[in-house]
C-alpha cells in the first residue's frame, strides 16, 4: 500500500476486507508464540462463527506448541502443506517481515487481498492493508481493534486468545501501558481466566526440564561488555518442547550484571536461532537487524549459519558497534 494511512484507517479497512471475505487464511510467524497464534486464532474464531471458511497455519514446526493448541477450540489449525494455495484473503499476524512467514510467505503473492497485523518497529511494511503500530505492546491489541471494528463479539474463546498474546508479549504486564491494562480487564470480564492461562503459557514445565535448565545456566558466561549468553545444544533443542527452550532467555535476563542476554540455540548442525533481550540500555532490535533478524528494542532475535564461535563473535561485533 503506497498511500499514507493512519492505524485507525488501516483497522477500518482490515475490518471491511475481513467482514466481506468468504474464505480466509490466517498465518502466524515461524515458531509461533502466543501473540502470533493468539491473534490469528482470535480473528479466525470470530470469522468462522460468522460463517467464513477459515484456516490458521504457520510454516514451522509441524504442530502448534502444546501450551497454545487448546486455544484452537474450533479446529482451525491446518498443517502448512494443506493450506489453500490461493486464499481469497490472507492475514499475516505478528510477522516482522515476509521472511518470518517462512515457506508460506509465497501466499502473499497468490492471495486475493493481504492484510498484515504487526507491532515490530523493524517491520518494513508489506501487504495490501497494513495494520502496523509499533506503539502497541502486542499484535493481539490490533486484532482486538479489528474485531471491534467488525462488530464481532469478544466471547470467552476469543478473549482467551487475545489475553494469551497480551500477557506473554508484556511479560505478565510488566511492559504494559494503561490501554493494555484496560484491555486486559475487558478480556477478563469477557471470560479469559488469567490463572490457568498464564500457568499453561508461562509458569509450567515438566520436571525433567530442570536438568536441561541446569545445564543451560551452568554454561552461561558473563563477559566484561555486559553480554551474558548461554548455548543450548541440538540434543536439548530436540529433547525439550519449545516452551522450555524459549524460556531460558527469560531466566538469563534476571542477571543483574547483564546489559544484553543471548540464548544461542542450535537448530541444525551449523544453524543457530538466537533470542536477545536487553535489560534497558541497549537496543537489541538494532543488533538483531544487523545480524539478519529483527524485533523490539528490549526483545529481538535472528537465525544464523556458522559455528557457535562465529555466531558469538557476530553478536560481540554487533554489540560493540
Ligand atoms: P524471541 O526471542 O524468538 O522470543 O523473539 C523476540 C522478538 O524478536 C519477537 O518479537 C520476535 O517476533 C522477534 N524476532 C525473532 N526473530 C526474528 C527474526 N528473525 N526476524 C524478525 N524478528 C524476529
Ligand atoms: Mn511473536
Ligand atoms: Mn508480538
Amino acid at each position: 500500500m503506497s498511500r499514507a494511512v493512519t492505524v485507525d484507517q488501516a483497522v477500518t479497512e482490515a475490518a471491511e476486507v475481513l467482514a466481506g471475505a468468504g474464505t480466509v487464511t490466517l498465518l502466524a510467524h515461524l515458531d509461533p508464540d502466543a501473540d502470533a497464534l493468539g491473534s490469528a486464532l482470535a480473528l479466525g474464531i470470530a470469522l468462522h462463527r460468522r460463517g467464513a471458511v477459515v484456516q490458521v497455519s504457520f510454516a514451522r514446526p509441524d504442530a502448534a506448541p502444546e501450551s497454545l493448541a487448546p486455544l484452537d477450540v474450533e479446529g482451525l489449525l491446518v498443517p502448512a502443506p494443506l493450506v489453500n494455495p490461493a486464499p481469497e484473503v490472507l492475514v499475516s499476524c505478528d510477522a516482522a517481515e515476509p521472511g518470518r512467514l517462512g515457506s508460506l510467505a509465497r501466499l502473499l503473492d497468490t492471495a486475493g487481498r493481504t492484510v498484515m497485523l504487526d507491532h515490530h518497529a523493524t517491520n518494513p511494511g508489506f501487504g495490501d492493508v497494513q495494520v502496523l503500530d509499533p506503539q502497541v505492546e502486542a499484535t493481539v491489541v490490533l486484532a482486538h481493534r479489528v474485531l471491534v471494528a467488525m462488530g464481532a463479539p469478544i466471547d470467552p474463546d476469543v478473549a482467551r486468545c487475545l489475553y494469551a498474546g497480551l500477557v506473554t508479549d508484556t511479560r505478565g504486564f510488566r511492559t504494559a501501558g494503561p490501554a493494555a491494562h484496560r484491555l486486559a480487564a475487558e478480556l477478563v470480564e469477557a471470560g479469559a481466566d488469567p490463572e490457568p492461562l498464564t500457568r499453561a503459557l508461562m509458569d509450567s514445565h515438566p520436571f525433567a526440564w530442570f536438568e536441561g535448565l541446569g545445564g543451560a545456566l551452568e554454561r552461561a558466561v558473563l563477559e566484561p561488555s555486559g553480554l551474558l549468553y548461554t548455548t543450548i545444544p541440538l540434543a536439548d533443542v530436540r529433547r525439550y518442547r519449545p516452551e522450555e527452550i524459549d524460556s531460558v532467555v527469560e531466566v538469563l535476563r534476571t542477571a543483574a550484571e547483564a546489559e544484553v542476554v543471548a540464548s544461542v540455540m542450535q537448530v541444525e548442525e551449523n544453524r543457530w536461532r538466537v533470542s536477545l533481550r536487553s535489560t534497558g540500555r541497549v537496543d537489541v532490535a538494532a543488533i538483531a537487524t544487523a545480524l539478519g533478524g529483527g524485533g523490539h528494542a528490549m526483545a529481538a532475535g535472528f537465525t544464523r549459519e556458522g559455528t557457535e564461535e562465529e555466531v558469538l563473535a557476530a553478536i560481540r561485533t554487533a554489540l560493540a558497534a
Side-chain angles (χ1 to χ4, degrees):
M1 192 166 50
S2 48
R3 291 169 295 132
V5 293
T6 65
V7 178
D8 278 344
Q9 285 169 324
V11 165
T12 305
E13 209 176 325
E16 281 165 8
V17 169
L18 289 175
T23 65
V24 183
T25 297
L26 302 112
L27 301 181
H29 60 65
L30 292 169
D31 306 311
D33 55 21
D35 191 29
L37 220 44
S39 299
L41 285 168
L43 290 165
I45 290 168
L47 291 166
H48 189 240
R49 289 184 176 159
R50 292 166 66 103
V53 175
V54 174
Q55 294 184 321
V56 175
S57 196
F58 45 86
R60 188 185 74 202
D62 292 341
E66 221 177 334
S67 58
L68 299 178
L71 297 176
D72 181 24
V73 291
E74 304 263 314
L76 304 176
L77 282 168
V78 297
L82 301 185
V83 168
N84 179 351
E88 187 185 336
V89 175
L90 182 77
V91 185
S92 170
C93 298
D94 198 41
E97 47 159 332
R100 289 282 284 160
L101 298 174
S103 59
L104 293 176
R106 67 175 188 274
L107 299 183
L108 289 167
D109 300 321
T110 58
R113 295 294 296 279
T114 58
V115 178
M116 180 267 283
L117 270 66
D118 188 41
H119 68 128
H120 290 92
T122 55
N123 191 316
F126 63 95
D128 300 322
V129 182
Q130 304 185 1
V131 185
L132 174 60
D133 187 355
Q135 304 299 322
V136 299
E137 296 88 338
T139 297
V140 290
V141 173
L142 301 172
H144 176 258
R145 289 174 67 182
V146 171
L147 287 167
V148 170
M150 282 171 58
I154 309 298
D155 62 35
D157 297 323
V158 172
R160 269 191 285 276
C161 291
L162 297 173
Y163 190 91
L166 194 59
V167 71
T168 51
D169 263 31
T170 59
R171 295 192 299 113
F173 299 106
R174 288 173 182 81
T175 61
H181 281 279
R182 279 192 289 269
L183 175 57
E186 222 180 286
L187 297 175
V188 172
E189 271 167 354
D193 191 354
E195 203 287 325
L197 271 171
T198 50
R199 182 158 179 83
L201 292 168
M202 308 170 86
D203 296 333
S204 165
H205 299 288
F207 175 66
W209 165 239
F210 285 14
E211 190 188 333
L213 178 62
L217 296 180
E218 233 162 36
R219 287 188 300 276
V221 176
L222 175 63
E223 300 194 339
S225 65
L227 171 67
L228 185 148
Y229 70 87
T230 195
T231 52
I232 305 181
L234 191 55
D236 279 9
V237 170
R238 289 187 174 153
R239 178 167 163 207
Y240 299 107
R241 304 181 309 166
E243 282 89 338
E244 279 69 61
I245 298 299
D246 289 348
S247 71
V248 170
V249 74
E250 300 303 330
V251 183
L252 297 183
R253 67 185 303 294
T254 62
E257 297 87 345
E259 292 272 4
V260 169
V261 303
S263 176
V264 182
M265 301 161 273
Q266 190 175 26
V267 291
E268 284 168 35
E269 194 51 46
N270 239 29
R271 195 173 165 80
W272 305 80
R273 182 164 75 83
V274 178
S275 280
L276 297 171
R277 299 291 183 269
S278 168
T279 55
R281 270 191 344 112
V282 179
D283 177 357
V284 288
I287 298 177
T289 304
L291 300 176
H296 310 284
M298 300 282 283
F302 65 91
T303 297
R304 208 174 163 87
E305 314 272 335
T307 64
E308 177 183 327
E309 258 323 309
E310 283 166 350
V311 172
L312 289 170
I315 296 172
R316 290 187 195 104
T317 304
L319 178 56

